[in-house]
Amino acid sequence: MVLKVFFPSCCSAADSGILIGRWISEQNSAVILAVVHFPFIPVQVKQYLGEIQRVTKVSVSVLGSWSNSKQEKEESLSEFLEDLGTIFCHEPWIQISKEGDSKFWSCSTLQKHSKNPQEEEIILVYYDQRKVMLSHLHPPLSSAAREAEDASKLWAIFDTVARSQVLFMTDRYDEGPIKLSHWQSDGVEASIIVELLKQASVPACVLLAALLALVSGICRSRVLNIWPLSFLWSKLSTCEQLGHRLQHLQVISSSKKAQSQNQLMRKANIFVSLLIDVALGILLMSWLYRKNRIGHLADTLIPVADHVAEELQDLLQWLMGAPAGLKMNRALDQVLGRFFLYHIHLWISYIHLLSPFIEMILWYVGLSACLGLTVALCILSDILALLTFHIYCFYVYGARLYCLKIYGLSSLWRLFRGKKWNVLRQRVDSCSYDLDQLFIGTLLFTILLFLLPTTALYYLVFTLLRLLVVIVQGLIHLLVDLIDSLPLYSLTLRLCRSYRLAAGVKFRVLEQQDGKPLRLLMQINPLSYGGVVQTYRLPTYSCYPRDSWASLCKKLFLGELIYPWKHKGDKQN
């Protein structure tokens, strides 16, 4: 049989002693966790391992001996290490020795209590104890996972190292009777600042959770759910983004401990996303309030609105003539042109009526950037929607008129073919018409057909203007979604500590020689950057169109309304 010995690379320079770890009989493998140095008392070692086993629920025992020939000064030490197999009864007894400066190690087994000892082929696998424990390739450390544990799988190795974390909390500065070598033997990794933040985060999270519960209760009150207010909240992307950030804060302030690596990463990504969002918002706010940029922006806004209105008036005057040499229906062209010109006049009056208050409005809007750059961008999108409301009205009027004529022509075309639309069965059925119906249908079809080019031209022009506004809003919301959903913490972790985001393991052959154990190096395979984004991407409110491009083109042809890009709830956990 093949005996696999997983040896921590941090113990390769340790002093001679005994090997403690876990024996996995299903894999015929030994997972070495630490080396106990001389001098020690066997009874104290057994008591210490009993305490470790009681706390970690891992069957830790003495598996063999370790000899570092660089530090050998007594020839009798090797014989003493072999005799330890009679004190710590374990079959097989593993003996690993480092032969001076040689890159080859000797590894053998003793089976003193076996009647038919068999010579086993040994594979020595080196692993980085710190990376294996922090890679989270093991299942969650819950009782259900432990009961369902299948020790024949490779993740049992990772599970053994992760559950033995208590064993790694002792270093060489401890005054205990037992001295160990492991990945933290030179000093336990800790930070006073991190510990203080952990202690302060508990009351802060409790206070934040109480405030968020109060805010959510107010938002769900019946007063704010009255029809005009509820309709307004559903149309403003700022309200959607604030609700989205409120959910993020509730996730962060939750006192419930993360049950898995994905939940922990999600909390960390949300926290980093909020910090960066608020930091960018504060930078934007500081830039706006320097050198009276708010006043300059307000002074520029009114001339820009007047210029847009003048361009629209020139466009309508062009449409009321002979646009591109096309022959239009003059009566309908004049009616539509004057109708839209009147709306532009109303819009200019509305803008000039608000002009004294625009600077004050922008000043208060700039303060909202302290809530985050995404909130400021959503407010910018809403302001753009309000400033281009007249274009939206033109588009709605043109679309409704064009849609009415398209459906009228399609209905009259079915009349010529002796068909009609069955409303009850939602299908086209045969129908017989008399002469008067066919005559009136022919007149109406002719009128609608000759008026269609004029209506279609107005509809085309205003649809292009509407699409231009929608594209600008879509780009703004794409930037908002990028800030909301990008897992910045996971990407930084992938860049600096890639083993924390592991996708699997790989084995590399170090050395192989006849008569010596095969030496392998177990390495952590990190997730790719695309895999990190796909796995740990935060749930967002998608700002993409509701329909596919084919459906969108069909709506444009039939004259159905194109709704603006707006936030839509994502059901991801």
Side-chain angles (χ1 to χ4, degrees), residues 355-373:
S355 58
F357 310 100
I358 286 181
E359 184 175 357
M360 182 180 64
I361 293 173
L362 292 179
W363 194 88
Y364 285 109
V365 167
L367 291 178
S368 65
C370 64
L371 299 175
L373 179 63

Side-chain angles (χ1 to χ4, degrees), residues 477-498:
H477 286 298
L478 279 177
L479 183 58
V480 171
D481 279 356
L482 181 64
I483 298 175
D484 282 345
S485 64
L486 197 62
L488 298 174
Y489 176 77
S490 298
L491 290 174
T492 306
L493 209 59
R494 171 64 179 83
L495 182 64
C496 301
R497 295 184 177 183
S498 58

Side-chain angles (χ1 to χ4, degrees), residues 305-371:
D306 290 339
H307 178 71
V308 171
E310 291 176 1
E311 292 294 331
L312 285 176
Q313 286 178 343
D314 295 340
L315 178 63
L316 287 173
Q317 293 292 343
W318 178 71
L319 291 175
M320 291 171 66
L326 297 176
K327 181 64 176 178
M328 312 295 292
N329 185 280
R330 184 169 181 80
L332 180 62
D333 193 12
Q334 293 294 322
V335 170
L336 292 177
R338 291 174 184 176
F339 176 76
F340 291 129
L341 284 174
Y342 178 70
H343 275 71
I344 294 177
H345 175 71
L346 290 179
W347 177 251
I348 295 176
S349 303
Y350 166 70
I351 290 296
H352 285 280
L353 185 64
L354 289 179
S355 58
F357 310 100
I358 286 181
E359 184 175 357
M360 182 180 64
I361 293 173
L362 292 179
W363 194 88
Y364 285 109
V365 167
L367 291 178
S368 65
C370 64
L371 299 175

Side-chain angles (χ1 to χ4, degrees), residues 124-140:
L124 195 57
V125 182
Y126 298 96
Y127 71 95
D128 192 322
Q129 211 166 46
R130 181 172 183 265
K131 293 182 178 180
V132 167
M133 192 183 69
L134 299 177
S135 62
H136 294 282
L137 282 174
H138 53 85

Side-chain angles (χ1 to χ4, degrees), residues 78-122:
S78 60
E79 298 179 359
F80 174 69
L81 291 175
E82 292 181 5
D83 295 338
L84 286 176
T86 59
I87 301 175
F88 302 100
C89 299
H90 185 271
E91 291 287 342
W93 182 259
I94 303 171
Q95 290 181 322
I96 304 176
S97 61
K98 187 178 181 183
E99 302 172 356
D101 295 330
S102 175
K103 56 185 178 181
F104 295 104
W105 294 9
S106 64
C107 184
S108 59
T109 58
L110 292 178
Q111 299 179 1
K112 295 183 178 181
H113 303 283
S114 178
K115 296 180 181 180
N116 297 318
Q118 297 178 355
E119 187 176 348
E120 295 182 320
E121 182 182 352
I122 300 175

Side-chain angles (χ1 to χ4, degrees), residues 201-216 246 248-254 271 274:
S201 64
V202 177
C205 287
V206 172
L207 179 61
L208 183 61
L211 291 176
L212 292 175
L214 178 62
V215 171
S216 12
L246 182 63
H248 280 176
L249 290 174
Q250 289 175 344
V251 171
I252 294 176
S253 61
S254 174
F271 182 71
L274 279 173

Side-chain angles (χ1 to χ4, degrees), residues 117 123 129 173 216 359 509 571:
I123 298 178
Q129 211 166 46
Y173 302 104
S216 12
E359 184 175 357
V509 178
K571 300 300 181 183

Side-chain angles (χ1 to χ4, degrees), residues 225-515:
N225 288 330
I226 302 176
W227 175 77
L229 292 178
S230 62
F231 178 78
L232 186 63
W233 303 148
S234 64
K235 295 301 180 182
L236 293 178
S237 58
T238 305
C239 298
E240 298 285 348
Q241 179 62 21
L242 288 175
H244 185 46
R245 283 306 188 193
L246 182 63
Q247 292 180 1
H248 280 176
L249 290 174
Q250 289 175 344
V251 171
I252 294 176
S253 61
S254 174
S255 59
K256 187 178 179 181
K257 187 177 180 181
Q259 300 296 325
S260 63
Q261 172 73 357
N262 287 342
Q263 292 182 3
L264 181 63
M265 283 295 174
R266 181 171 182 259
K267 279 191 173 184
N269 285 323
I270 289 175
F271 182 71
V272 173
S273 175
L274 279 173
L275 284 182
I276 294 178
D277 187 20
V278 173
L280 292 176
I282 293 175
L283 286 177
L284 175 64
M285 185 175 64
S286 63
W287 180 81
L288 285 175
Y289 287 98
R290 288 179 184 175
K291 299 179 182 180
N292 194 25
R293 289 191 175 92
I294 294 288
H296 295 317
L297 184 61
D299 295 337
T300 308
L301 193 61
I302 299 300
V304 169
D306 290 339
H307 178 71
V308 171
E310 291 176 1
E311 292 294 331
L312 285 176
Q313 286 178 343
D314 295 340
L315 178 63
L316 287 173
Q317 293 292 343
W318 178 71
L319 291 175
M320 291 171 66
L326 297 176
K327 181 64 176 178
M328 312 295 292
N329 185 280
R330 184 169 181 80
L332 180 62
D333 193 12
Q334 293 294 322
V335 170
L336 292 177
R338 291 174 184 176
F339 176 76
F340 291 129
L341 284 174
Y342 178 70
H343 275 71
I344 294 177
H345 175 71
L346 290 179
W347 177 251
I348 295 176
S349 303
Y350 166 70
I351 290 296
H352 285 280
L353 185 64
L354 289 179
S355 58
F357 310 100
I358 286 181
E359 184 175 357
M360 182 180 64
I361 293 173
L362 292 179
W363 194 88
Y364 285 109
V365 167
L367 291 178
S368 65
C370 64
L371 299 175
L373 179 63
T374 55
V375 176
L377 290 175
C378 288
I379 292 177
L380 176 62
S381 176
D382 292 335
I383 290 176
L384 180 64
L386 291 175
L387 291 178
T388 58
F389 183 70
H390 56 307
I391 296 178
Y392 177 72
C393 291
F394 294 165
Y395 164 71
V396 171
Y397 298 151
R400 290 303 185 192
L401 189 58
Y402 176 78
C403 181
L404 178 64
K405 291 191 176 182
I406 288 294
Y407 279 100
L409 287 172
S410 62
S411 179
L412 293 173
W413 178 250
R414 286 193 294 269
L415 182 142
F416 293 151
R417 295 183 298 147
K419 306 287 184 180
K420 72 171 184 177
W421 176 254
N422 193 330
V423 181
L424 297 178
R425 297 189 177 184
Q426 295 293 308
R427 67 181 186 185
V428 177
D429 294 334
S430 300
C431 181
S432 58
Y433 298 96
D434 55 22
L435 187 61
D436 294 338
Q437 291 174 329
L438 291 174
F439 178 73
I440 295 176
T442 304
L443 292 179
L444 292 177
F445 182 83
T446 306
I447 294 172
L448 292 179
L449 183 62
F450 282 103
L451 292 180
L452 181 63
T454 305
T455 308
L457 183 61
Y458 276 89
Y459 168 69
L460 177 62
V461 171
F462 293 136
T463 299
L464 294 177
L465 292 176
R466 177 60 185 163
L467 285 177
L468 180 63
V469 176
V470 168
I471 288 173
V472 174
Q473 287 184 292
L475 293 176
I476 294 175
H477 286 298
L478 279 177
L479 183 58
V480 171
D481 279 356
L482 181 64
I483 298 175
D484 282 345
S485 64
L486 197 62
L488 298 174
Y489 176 77
S490 298
L491 290 174
T492 306
L493 209 59
R494 171 64 179 83
L495 182 64
C496 301
R497 295 184 177 183
S498 58
Y499 58 87
R500 294 288 301 273
L501 302 175
V505 296
K506 61 182 178 181
F507 295 91
R508 183 166 63 90
V509 178
L510 294 179
E511 297 291 343
Q512 185 176 11
Q513 187 181 21
D514 294 338

